Amino acid sequence: MTLDTAEKQKLIESHQVHATDTGSVEVQVAMLSERISKLSDHLQGNIHDYASRQGLLKMIGKRKRLLSYIKDKNLQNYQDLIKKIGIRG
C-alpha cells in the first residue's frame, strides 16, 4: 500500500515540472493516485478493513482538493494530468 523508493522515483521523473522538482502538485497527485489504486486492490480482498477504507477516503479527498487547485490555476495542465494519470474517464 505504500510506495517504495524506486516507484516514487519513477513517478517523480514522469510527472516533474522541472529537473529538481519532487513535490509539485502534479507529483503529489500522481503519488496519491498510485497509492489509491493499490489500496483499492487491497480493499477488494479485505472488505472488513475499515481503518484502511477511512484512509482511502481521506486520500481521495486530498487528491480531489489538489486537482481542483490545479484546475483553478491552469486548465490545460489539469487536462494533461488527468489524461496522463488515467482518471475520470
Side-chain angles (χ1 to χ4, degrees), residues 31-65:
M31 283 193 202
L32 276 172
S33 295
E34 186 65 28
R35 288 183 64 200
I36 286 169
S37 68
K38 285 186 174 198
L39 193 53
S40 295
D41 292 340
H42 166 77
L43 287 173
Q44 287 177 357
N46 300 285
I47 58 174
H48 295 292
D49 190 354
Y50 299 113
S52 292
R53 186 173 309 279
Q54 184 178 10
L56 173 69
L57 293 174
K58 286 184 179 186
M59 281 190 270
I60 290 171
K62 183 170 185 164
R63 182 178 71 178
K64 183 178 178 181
R65 288 190 302 273

